[in-house]
């Protein structure tokens, strides 16, 4: 049997470059759109199937572009198809959206995009529909797409909530959330100063800008594969958004402090704290045991955390993990709606439900109450989320203060975003960062 015929994608797919990438994109999109699966999880499973980093980057780009323009492409399919696609045609719909994204957003050479996408239809067992795929992609190439309103991609309940919470900024939030996010790097100061690392990037021909809002942050105007970043494999730098990096700035843990990161996976914020101060006595918790491996991998790559503890526990069940020795600082980067990072997780608009916010707010409340008990008098708890909804943020903190006499908000400066009763909220795209909320709470004597 030849290499071509032994391919899991079939003879023609194996013979033509890019077919597997398009077929995988269709599978990912069909799972996300039709089955409610997580984009991050589906990409995590699909990317290792591609050996070439360029193919992996293309797979990600196709999926993100198709999801961001999903409403536009659905509208085109309704207009161009005489008979709507059926419930069993999820993979076909997804492949068409992947093809549209290549022509529309990614602006790939039309011949290569069409040819590989049509072959991907055959690789997916859609031989009979290959002609239709070709015809629809050629029509898209000729006619382009009628634009839809950005807000049409949002569920009505979430649209109403954003307009209620941020009436003056709502339209900009909606528009920014459908834009690609820039690539942000965090320089590991245990290995290089930011200035020294900028020099290494310049030597590698990678344009980069130092961000004055946070001491370790570097923004790349043009994203690059992590494999091309000098010293990435050795932990010299990590990929982390500006807003997430500012968590360490807001916490301001004292040198050598005993610190708890209560919802730590995948470990980026813990690693950042340890890069800034290796003498920290850090305990990292996460309720998902499978995600603990990500924390350990992050620590190993960055060369920090040799003395840190990592436990798979429910942070609210303090009796199961706390030794009674109070912490100087607690980081609670709480589970949330992720409405501030839609530009990085566009499937949030597909999957989030109004009832999710009620459940998440209840969990956040339980976490705040439980973790406050393990904080020493005079200690600081930083409550952060990647949400833009006041129910999870400002209102959550107000409710906590109302039932917690020894809690006070310590005001944060304007570099963290909009002022919300002493707390701070960055909205998506502001200063190039993700939407993020920060509340610095101090335990005082009563």
């Amino acid at each position: 049997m030849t290499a071509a015929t032994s391919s899991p994608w079939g003879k023609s797919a194996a013979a033509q470059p890019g077919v597997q990438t398009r077929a995988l994109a269709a599978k990912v999109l069909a799972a996300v759109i039709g089955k409610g699966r997580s984009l991050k999880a589906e990409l995590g499973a699909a990317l290792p199937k591609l050996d070439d980093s360029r193919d992996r980057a293309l797979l990600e780009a196709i999926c993100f572009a198709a999801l961001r323009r999903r409403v536009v492409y659905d509208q085109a399919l309704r207009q161009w198809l005489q008979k709507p696609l059926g419930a069993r045609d999820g993979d076909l719909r997804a492949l068409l959206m992947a093809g549209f994204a290549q022509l529309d957003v990614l602006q790939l050479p039309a011949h290569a995009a069409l040819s590989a996408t049509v072959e991907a239809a055959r690789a997916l067992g859609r031989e009979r529909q290959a002609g239709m795929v070709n015809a629809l992609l050629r029509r898209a190439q000729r006619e382009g797409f009628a634009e839809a309103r950005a807000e049409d991609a949002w569920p009505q309940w979430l649209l109403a909530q954003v307009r209620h919470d941020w009436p003056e900024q709502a339209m900009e939030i909606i528009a920014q959330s459908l834009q690609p996010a820039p690539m942000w790097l965090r320089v590991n100061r245990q290995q290089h100063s930011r200035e020294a690392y900028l020099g290494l990037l310049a030597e590698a021909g990678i344009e980069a800008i130092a961000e004055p809002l946070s001491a370790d942050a570097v923004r790349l105007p043009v994203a690059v594969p992590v494999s091309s970043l000098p010293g990435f494999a050795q932990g010299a730098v990590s990929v982390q958004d500006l807003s997430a990096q500012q968590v360490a700035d807001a916490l301001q843990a004292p040198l050598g402090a005993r610190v708890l990161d209560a919802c730590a996976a995948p470990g980026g914020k813990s690693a950042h704290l340890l890069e800034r101060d290796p003498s920290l006595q850090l305990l990292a918790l996460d309720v998902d045991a499978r995600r603990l491996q990500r924390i350990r991998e992050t620590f190993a790559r960055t060369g920090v955390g040799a003395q840190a503890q990592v436990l798979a526990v429910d942070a609210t069940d303090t009796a199961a993990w706390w030794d009674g020795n109070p912490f100087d600082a607690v980081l609670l980067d709480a589970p949330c709606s992720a409405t501030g990072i839609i530009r990085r997780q566009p499937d949030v608009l597909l999957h989030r439900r109004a009832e999710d916010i009620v459940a998440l707010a209840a969990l956040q409340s339980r976490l705040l109450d439980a973790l406050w008990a393990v904080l020493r008098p005079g200690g600081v708890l930083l409550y952060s989320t990647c949400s833009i909804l006041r129910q999870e943020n400002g209102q959550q903190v107000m409710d906590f203060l109302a039932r917690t006499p020894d809690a006070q908000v310590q005001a944060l400066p304007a570099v963290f975003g909009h002022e919300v009763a002493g707390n701070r909220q960055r909205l998506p795209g502001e200063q190039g960062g993700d939407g993020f909320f920060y509340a610095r709470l101090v335990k005082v004597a009563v």
Side-chain angles (χ1 to χ4, degrees):
M1 184 176 287
T2 66
T5 56
S6 64
S7 165
W9 298 98
K11 182 175 180 179
S12 60
Q16 182 173 335
V19 174
Q20 184 185 8
T21 305
R22 275 73 175 186
L24 282 171
K27 286 177 174 290
V28 169
L29 289 168
V32 172
I33 296 170
K35 300 178 181 177
R37 304 275 175 77
S38 157
L39 174 61
K40 184 185 295 185
E42 291 299 314
L43 282 174
L47 288 170
K49 298 176 182 177
L50 297 171
D51 295 329
D52 192 318
S53 63
R54 293 168 296 182
D55 290 334
R56 293 194 294 270
L58 178 57
L59 172 60
E60 286 194 286
I62 290 172
C63 291
F64 274 88
L67 286 171
R68 290 186 180 118
R69 298 276 285 169
R70 174 180 53 87
V71 171
V72 171
Y73 300 157
D74 276 341
Q75 178 177 275
L77 288 174
R78 285 195 299 272
Q79 293 173 351
W80 294 346
L81 287 171
Q82 291 183 337
K83 181 181 178 183
L85 294 174
R88 297 182 179 180
D89 293 325
D91 60 339
L92 185 59
R93 178 186 297 275
L95 182 65
L96 287 164
M97 294 177 76
F100 293 162
Q102 293 169 65
L103 299 169
D104 172 39
V105 178
L106 304 183
Q107 296 285 298
L108 298 184
H111 174 74
L114 265 69
S115 178
T117 305
V118 171
E119 281 302 319
R122 296 188 174 100
L124 291 168
R126 291 286 186 166
E127 175 78 32
R128 293 176 59 188
Q129 288 84 23
M132 181 189 74
V133 170
N134 182 60
L136 288 170
L137 294 182
R138 291 190 180 281
R139 182 167 183 176
Q141 182 189 3
R142 288 194 311 270
E143 299 180 15
F145 297 93
E147 289 301 316
R149 300 179 306 166
E151 57 264 40
D152 290 343
W154 287 58
Q156 285 301 309
W157 71 268
L158 184 54
L159 195 62
Q161 194 62 59
V162 170
R163 286 172 169 161
H164 176 270
D165 289 354
W166 299 99
E168 295 181 8
Q169 298 89 357
M171 291 310 298
E172 184 65 14
I173 289 171
I174 292 161
Q176 285 292 330
S177 294
L178 294 179
Q179 296 299 313
M183 187 172 189
W184 286 95
L185 306 180
R186 183 188 80 235
V187 178
N188 183 349
R189 60 174 66 182
Q190 294 302 310
Q191 298 192 28
H192 301 282
S193 68
R194 178 166 63 176
E195 291 68 28
Y197 193 77
L198 286 168
L200 294 176
L201 288 171
E203 289 174 11
I206 299 173
E207 183 183 357
I209 301 165
E211 173 51 61
L213 291 180
S214 192
D216 306 310
V218 171
R219 180 170 59 85
L220 303 188
V222 178
V224 301
V226 294
S227 58
S228 68
L229 295 171
F232 178 83
Q234 294 75 36
V237 70
S238 299
V239 177
Q240 187 178 43
D241 187 82
L242 167 68
S243 299
Q245 291 188 48
Q246 286 194 286
V247 165
D249 301 329
L251 182 63
Q252 299 174 31
L255 288 174
R258 179 171 159 82
V259 177
L260 171 68
D261 186 350
C263 302
K269 297 179 183 70
S270 281
H272 192 195
L273 293 172
L274 290 164
E275 289 168 9
R276 289 192 168 185
D277 179 13
S279 70
L280 291 178
Q281 305 167 58
L282 186 133
L283 172 62
L285 310 180
D286 202 89
V287 71
D288 188 343
R290 295 167 299 177
R291 285 162 54 87
L292 287 189
Q293 184 58 28
R294 292 284 306 281
I295 301 176
R296 295 188 180 99
E297 289 170 357
T298 299
F299 286 172
R301 186 183 62 82
T302 55
V304 300
Q307 307 303 318
Q309 286 184 279
V310 180
L311 295 177
V313 292
D314 179 351
T316 65
D317 184 12
T318 55
W321 58 266
W322 185 40
D323 62 5
N325 186 11
F327 291 88
D328 303 303
V330 172
L331 169 57
L332 172 53
D333 187 43
C336 71
S337 63
T339 44
I341 58 170
I342 290 168
R343 58 188 195 160
R344 297 190 187 278
Q345 296 184 19
D347 51 323
V348 166
L349 294 177
L350 282 166
H351 300 156
R352 194 66 66 234
R353 301 288 182 265
E355 54 268 27
D356 296 341
I357 309 306
V358 176
L360 286 163
L363 174 58
Q364 293 154 4
S365 178
R366 293 197 304 274
L367 284 163
L368 278 166
D369 290 342
L371 297 174
W372 194 250
V374 308
L375 184 67
R376 69 164 173 83
V380 171
L381 185 150
L382 183 76
Y383 174 74
S384 64
T385 75
C386 56
S387 170
I388 57 172
L389 303 183
R390 292 186 186 268
Q391 186 176 352
E392 299 179 273
N393 295 339
Q395 188 62 51
Q396 184 70 260
V397 172
M398 287 177 60
D399 292 346
F400 176 71
L401 294 172
R403 65 178 182 269
T404 314
D406 58 349
Q408 282 186 0
V409 169
Q410 190 171 78
L412 288 165
V415 294
F416 294 96
H418 300 264
E419 193 271 337
V420 182
N423 311 302
R424 291 287 174 175
Q425 175 79 61
R426 175 170 290 116
L427 298 175
E430 292 180 335
Q431 291 79 43
D434 289 337
F436 231 85
F437 177 79
Y438 314 86
R440 195 166 196 269
L441 304 170
V442 180
K443 183 176 277 193
V444 299
V446 291

